[in-house]
Amino acid sequence: MSSLRATFTLSFAAVAAAVTVLVGFLSYDAAARLVRVDQQTVFAEVVQDLRDQVRERALHPADFAASDSDHDGPLDDIIRPSRTDVQVLGPGGAIVDRGSPPLPVRAADRAVADHGTAGGLDEHKEVDVGGDRYRVATVALGGGRGAVQVAQQFSDTEDLLRELQQRTVLLVAAVVVAAGLFGWWLARRITRRLVRLAGAAEDVARTGRLGIQVPVTGYDEVGRLGRSFDRMLVRLAQSEEDQRRLVQDAGHELRTPLTSLRTNISMLRRIDELPPGVREELVADLALESRELTDLVNELVALAAGRSDTEPVRRLDLAELAEDVAIVARRRSGRDITVTARGDTTVEGRSTALQRAVSNLVENAAKFDRGGAAPIEVVVSGRWRPGAEAGVDPSAPGAGHPGPVRVEVLDRGPGMADEDLGRVFDRFYRAADARSLPGSGLGLSIVREVATAHGGAAFAFRREGGGTVIGFTVGVQRAGDDGR
């Protein structure tokens, strides 16, 4: 996680550095160009004004004397606007009035001083005078009377630009350092919760304990990730606990039939010594116990598979599915089983799981309602159909209700005690009067698992007039959308 923090810090600093360097470079380049162009423009205007003056009237070197007390001569007209240095040359390039500092006189300058045309120009770009750089131009007075040298120092400008450049570099460095520190602080603030989350994950991987609390707050992506991870650990811990309880309960429940089988098998060694009636009873017991053991193992496998069912979710009619279950149950038990559909009974779910849940309810009703005088009723109540009129009798065929689809199996058996109604869907729970009957005690727990997986719930209550109503609901949302 420290690597992520360092990467975030370096990335933040790199982006800030790139942006600052680019902005600083462009700003400095624009400022430097502006200053240099401005200086060159001023110098060019001064030189052009001087050329215009010497062309308009005949001027002599003395007219540019520095001793002009009125400061109204052509020399002042040159110096005032641009603060330039002026050096006056006489015929042959002799220095009449030295500049400050003195400017070098080259052969080209002497030639301009002897030039016959006023305003003649010799412009050389740069001259090094006393360690400073100057821009120099020589303008002829005409008639061989001499020339005027005009110089503009630009080393001061370059020094200013160099200082500006240094300050820009320092500013860029300061911004980069500040960006790095801010990026480190921001990365530490952002990754702090990720560090705790990674620590919790490492603790789970190291210790195998799923009951670790993940202290993550906030409502951003990191907070959502932390809460999702916490919920995942809770679900895994619950799944592990359910698996442990299932193994313990299964071991307890398997112990009885296995012990009975082992006892009966040991008696098979003496089967020739047993009376015919005892033999038939022994064989019948073995068949019954092996069948119960097979049913118990099948129920355990189905329950263990539970939510890991890979059957795809599809749209189906729960009333039609209940009718298919009733057909099979009639053939197996010979009982009268009726199916009533009310409202819109289409749902989205897993066909095999829902069929098993309905089948378990019907088999449970047939097992406990041993009289067989009254039919077993399967009622599937769906949602209101579009266009249903207000005041329609909910019990009438075609009626429905506004909630989820509801499956009820009604029998006229002995009913259930109050203490049994609250525990009838627990694994391996069997009421006192049902322990002598065949069964594993897992059928109704599978019903609850299927209902929960489809966004519904299982329910049981006593039926008016005697018997029991047991069923489940299927939620209106897609099965599996509850986070499993």
Side-chain angles (χ1 to χ4, degrees), residues 5-81:
R5 183 177 298 172
T7 301
F8 189 88
T9 302
L10 292 177
S11 300
F12 194 89
V15 171
V19 173
T20 307
V21 168
L22 180 62
V23 172
F25 172 77
L26 294 177
S27 301
Y28 170 78
D29 184 68
R33 287 177 180 272
L34 183 63
V35 170
R36 288 173 178 143
V37 169
D38 182 66
Q39 292 292 324
Q40 291 177 359
T41 301
V42 171
F43 183 74
E45 291 176 352
V46 169
V47 173
Q48 186 61 42
D49 290 344
L50 176 60
R51 297 179 69 186
D52 293 341
Q53 286 185 16
V54 299
R55 285 171 181 171
E56 291 174 358
R57 52 195 177 122
L59 297 175
H60 296 80
D63 295 327
F64 294 90
S67 58
D68 181 10
S69 58
D70 296 334
H71 298 288
D72 58 356
L75 177 62
D76 295 303
D77 294 336
I78 299 173
I79 294 176
R80 284 195 198 103

Side-chain angles (χ1 to χ4, degrees), residues 150-169:
V150 181
Q152 182 189 55
Q153 183 180 1
F154 63 85
S155 59
D156 290 344
T157 302
E158 294 300 322
D159 291 340
L160 176 63
L161 293 178
R162 195 174 299 110
E163 184 178 357
L164 176 62
Q165 185 181 40
Q166 292 174 354
R167 292 187 177 184
T168 303
V169 171

